[in-house]
Amino acid sequence: MAHKKTKSSQARVALCYIRQSYTRDENDLNSPERQRANIQLVCDKYGWIPEWYEDAEGHRSGRDIKNRPRWLALSKRFGDPDVVALVANDLSRLHRKGWRVGDMLDHLERHGIALVLAAPGREVDTSTPQGKMFIQFTAMLDEYYAEDISQRSKDSIAYRKSLGKAIGQPPYGTLKKDGYLIQSHEGAWLLPDGRFVAGKHDKSPREGAVWRSYYEGAKRILELYAEGNMGLERIAYQINTESYPFRARHNRPRHITQDDIRRVVSNWDTYGGLVTSQRSIDRKAYEAMNPDEIVFNEDKAVFPVELLRKVARVRQARTVRPLDHGRKRETHFYALSQLTCCAHCEALAEQHQNPKYRTTLTGTHLGGKPRYRHKSGIKCGCQNRSVPCDVIEKDFEQLIQLLTVKPEMLDWMTEMAIQASKAFSSGEIDLDKEKEETIALCQRRINAAIGLYSDGVIDREEYLRRKEKNEREIAYWRARTTESEKAALELSMCLDAIDTMQRLWNISDDEDRQGMVRNLFSYITYDLDTQRIVDFRLKAWADRFLVLRAALYESGDTNEDVSGQGLKRDMLLMGLEPMFSP
């Protein structure tokens, strides 16, 4: 697709976006997989390096962008010189608002970025007036479709509420029958090793297993809260001590968190058979009416009405209307927040084969000092619950220094990457050789067409058709990235990202640090007790660099800039040696 502003030949990164608006069950996950497959075919065709951004968890509507964090991260890359295209399965995955599509097209054209739709039959050239008109018309249809579905859903919800039926996911400890809440008969078995396994109460999976009912767990939470002497965090610890599990989606049991306790307590009116117009998180206790004057629907209540009334009294007494102190001027960005995982929780996730056990550290101010804090309400075995920011960020700075490589080693690492790729793809066609042979063949076809046209065997129209076809194929192969070029580009990008982070880390503010970390790292695992990084993972496009970095030190070509020590020994001291097994 043509643009007024052209990209350099070094621009090879395609921003690949996937969105799933609503996930009903595991079968719906086929949609992101299908989108990814179509997008990957496009990137392979043009020799682009895909950079994936995916909003596919929970409700991710295309009518807005505030609920799509990965799209917001993607849009910040529009001005970068290495970006050549934005690829999505179809236009509705990007936006379902006409004006947003128009604004996006202006940004893409301004930066010389191609818009490519990967679904078969959706190809469109936005460099032409006809293509832009088609895009805008399609955007109008997508917006109308979303608006129509919204109106139908609102009408259905209003009708069901008028009948007193519950809307949405039933709260913890309940199920829906004919639209009304009933006591849940579901639960999980607590095994002797501490793991939870979903099942039925009349069929024990193992000797010594103890049945734990979701309904009894919710009732226990309400009883503890109604006593009025425990907060949400202490209740979470108590419920976990008593080994009541929480029912996650798809009936996967897990430990209860402080947020789960808040959800149960906030749904006291729903448990009493009442249907409200707001979500539980939006219903402010200080705005509620007197609990003693509330008339519950006792026929539809799933818990004793008097217990629910006590919960309402305690909740209203504890909640204070916040004062408006004006705009909050001081904010603090935690560079490693939501990216750093607890090592003890990670071990539990691996032991139970359940990623729900994984938790991330978040930022907080304790004693006037910024710290990274473990998720509250969860006991995973760690003794320390927080760590000062400067301690963990100093450890991370050391990790960056260990990953740094001298620029002159790039050629050696590129050659090693190519040799490793050939070792794993023996018998396949050499891309460099195939490229050279195909271009030569197309050139011979053009010369042959010239001869046939000169001899009068074919007319001028047929000659031009053959010439254009082969020239187009030659242009495609010349633009296609060879294996050596691709490896060099990927390693160069990663080397530049690490070098930039290492140089700018100490002089950048926390917001810039956060952006640099999330651009390169997928996650970091931190042990709060020993206060050290024990594991990490780079983004998928940088994995090759990590393996080659280890191989570089195995070969003895060490970088003396790292305190005169080899990478492997330094990583061993940090507990990271297992990460480097090529």
Side-chain angles (χ1 to χ4, degrees):
M1 180 176 64
H3 291 275
K4 294 180 181 179
K5 181 180 177 180
T6 58
K7 287 283 184 177
S8 67
S9 59
Q10 296 298 320
R12 285 288 184 271
V13 175
L15 306 179
C16 305
Y17 184 68
I18 296 173
R19 181 178 68 85
Q20 172 80 341
S21 58
Y22 181 66
T23 303
R24 295 176 180 84
D25 51 44
E26 293 183 352
N27 294 329
D28 279 355
L29 298 179
N30 292 331
S31 175
E33 293 177 1
R34 173 172 50 81
Q35 294 179 48
R36 180 180 289 271
N38 290 340
I39 293 173
Q40 186 64 55
L41 289 176
V42 170
C43 293
D44 293 342
K45 176 181 178 182
Y46 294 106
W48 293 336
I49 302 173
E51 185 173 301
W52 299 97
Y53 295 85
E54 185 168 340
D55 287 316
E57 296 181 359
H59 184 64
R60 306 294 183 183
S61 173
R63 304 174 68 191
D64 207 342
I65 59 175
K66 62 183 180 181
N67 65 334
R68 296 191 282 158
R70 300 303 295 157
W71 170 260
L72 295 175
L74 178 150
S75 59
K76 294 180 181 179
R77 292 269 283 137
F78 282 164
D80 295 344
D82 60 330
V83 176
V84 68
L86 169 62
V87 188
N89 193 60
D90 59 77
L91 190 63
S92 65
R93 297 304 91 198
L94 300 173
H95 294 296
R96 283 195 182 273
K97 283 285 187 180
W99 71 268
R100 290 192 186 278
V101 172
D103 185 61
M104 178 189 68
L105 291 177
D106 289 342
H107 276 82
L108 296 180
E109 186 173 7
R110 189 180 309 121
H111 296 294
I113 298 176
L115 172 62
V116 181
L117 304 180
R122 300 295 181 98
E123 298 84 0
V124 61
D125 185 0
T126 57
S127 65
T128 64
Q130 294 84 354
K132 292 180 180 178
M133 184 179 299
F134 176 78
I135 284 289
Q136 292 290 358
F137 179 72
T138 303
M140 290 173 58
L141 293 179
D142 289 337
E143 182 175 356
Y144 170 77
Y145 173 80
E147 188 67 29
D148 183 59
I149 291 296
S150 175
Q151 292 297 329
R152 292 171 184 266
S153 298
K154 290 177 180 178
D155 180 58
S156 174
I157 290 173
Y159 175 71
R160 295 176 64 186
K161 284 185 175 181
S162 67
L163 299 177
K165 294 185 177 182
I167 305 299
Q169 187 81 4
Y172 174 58
T174 66
L175 295 174
K176 281 198 294 186
K177 182 179 181 181
D178 299 329
Y180 300 101
L181 294 183
I182 62 173
Q183 297 181 12
S184 175
H185 60 271
E186 297 180 340
W189 287 95
L190 174 63
L191 302 183
D193 59 3
R195 292 187 297 118
F196 286 110
V197 176
K200 298 182 179 180
H201 70 280
D202 56 350
K203 189 176 181 180
S204 175
R206 187 181 303 177
E207 184 179 354
V210 180
W211 174 253
R212 285 288 184 263
S213 166
Y214 294 142
Y215 175 79
E216 293 298 330
K219 185 177 181 181
R220 181 60 176 154
I221 291 173
L222 295 173
E223 290 173 346
L224 290 174
Y225 188 83
E227 293 175 1
N229 54 11
M230 296 179 69
L232 301 183
E233 186 173 351
R234 284 189 60 194
I235 293 176
Y237 287 127
Q238 181 64 32
I239 292 296
N240 283 320
T241 300
E242 297 179 11
S243 300
Y244 282 104
F246 189 81
R247 182 191 185 277
R249 287 186 180 272
H250 313 307
N251 196 23
R252 298 191 66 181
R254 61 168 173 80
H255 287 307
I256 288 179
T257 67
Q258 180 177 340
D259 281 341
D260 300 329
I261 305 298
R262 176 192 56 77
R263 294 186 185 99
V264 173
V265 171
S266 300
N267 275 307
W268 61 268
D269 47 2
T270 305
Y271 288 130
L274 303 180
V275 178
T276 59
S277 59
Q278 293 179 306
R279 300 179 304 167
S280 62
I281 194 174
D282 297 326
R283 299 196 293 270
K284 309 303 181 184
Y286 52 79
E287 296 177 349
M289 62 184 298
N290 188 342
D292 295 325
E293 299 177 358
I294 296 175
V295 179
F296 290 95
N297 187 348
E298 298 189 19
D299 293 336
K300 302 298 181 183
V302 293
F303 292 107
V305 170
E306 190 55 38
L307 171 62
L308 299 176
R309 206 179 297 277
K310 289 181 180 178
V311 170
R313 292 194 195 103
V314 173
R315 186 167 182 264
Q316 190 174 62
R318 288 183 174 182
T319 308
V320 179
R321 184 184 296 273
L323 299 177
D324 185 4
H325 295 289
R327 181 180 177 183
K328 186 177 180 179
R329 297 184 179 275
E330 294 185 4
T331 58
H332 185 82
F333 283 88
Y334 294 85
L336 306 180
S337 177
Q338 298 293 340
L339 190 74
T340 306
C341 305
C342 168
H344 292 79
C345 292
E346 198 75 16
L348 287 176
E350 184 175 352
Q351 175 188 349
H352 295 276
Q353 295 297 305
N354 187 351
K356 294 294 184 180
Y357 283 87
R358 175 180 293 179
T359 62
T360 55
L361 306 185
T362 55
T364 185
H365 269 75
L366 294 176
K369 188 175 182 179
R371 301 174 70 92
Y372 289 95
R373 185 185 182 189
H374 191 284
K375 191 171 184 178
S376 60
I378 295 179
K379 290 184 178 179
C380 61
C382 64
Q383 301 300 316
N384 294 328
R385 306 296 295 180
S386 66
V387 60
C389 285
D390 53 355
V391 173
I392 185 174
E393 290 177 3
K394 186 68 176 178
D395 204 24
F396 180 76
E397 182 182 356
Q398 181 185 2
L399 172 61
I400 299 172
Q401 294 174 351
L402 294 173
L403 291 175
T404 307
V405 176
K406 291 181 179 179
E408 53 266 27
M409 300 306 299
L410 178 61
D411 292 340
W412 186 90
M413 296 175 69
T414 302
E415 180 62 26
M416 178 177 286
I418 296 173
Q419 296 300 326
S421 178
K422 290 181 178 179
F424 284 101
S425 60
S426 58
E428 296 183 2
I429 299 176
D430 187 347
L431 181 60
D432 294 334
K433 184 178 180 181
E434 183 184 7
K435 176 179 179 179
E436 181 180 347
E437 292 177 350
T438 305
I439 292 177
L441 176 61
C442 291
Q443 192 61 55
R444 289 197 299 271
R445 288 173 180 168
I446 294 176
N447 294 335
I450 294 175
L452 293 174
Y453 176 58
S454 300
D455 295 339
V457 178
I458 59 176
D459 57 15
R460 178 174 177 78
E461 183 178 349
E462 176 63 18
Y463 159 70
L464 293 176
R465 187 190 68 79
R466 294 188 182 187
K467 179 173 178 290
E468 181 184 2
K469 177 182 178 181
N470 285 278
E471 285 179 344
R472 192 161 54 242
E473 189 169 354
I474 289 175
Y476 164 73
W477 278 97
R478 284 178 175 170
R480 183 169 179 176
T481 307
T482 63
E483 187 67 23
S484 57
E485 291 171 343
K486 183 177 180 180
L489 180 60
E490 289 178 348
L491 294 175
S492 177
M493 289 173 56
C494 189
L495 179 63
D496 181 65
I498 294 175
D499 181 65
T500 301
M501 187 182 298
Q502 191 270 337
R503 288 186 294 103
L504 302 180
W505 183 260
N506 288 323
I507 62 175
S508 300
D509 57 30
D510 292 305
E511 185 176 5
D512 290 337
R513 287 183 178 184
Q514 186 183 80
M516 289 188 292
V517 173
R518 298 190 178 188
N519 182 53
L520 187 60
F521 286 81
S522 292
Y523 68 82
I524 300 165
T525 305
Y526 192 81
D527 191 326
L528 289 166
D529 290 337
T530 60
Q531 294 191 349
R532 68 175 187 177
I533 298 174
V534 297
D535 196 1
F536 69 93
R537 181 73 67 197
L538 298 182
K539 294 288 187 181
W541 59 271
D543 271 346
R544 179 183 298 187
F545 169 86
L546 193 62
V547 175
L548 294 174
R549 182 72 174 88
L552 179 66
Y553 275 82
E554 289 285 354
S555 67
D557 296 312
T558 56
N559 184 354
E560 296 301 329
D561 294 342
V562 189
S563 305
Q565 297 178 329
L567 177 66
K568 186 173 182 180
R569 187 174 64 179
D570 288 337
M571 290 298 178
L572 182 60
L573 292 175
M574 296 180 67
L576 297 172
E577 193 269 339
M579 285 293 300
F580 292 89
S581 300

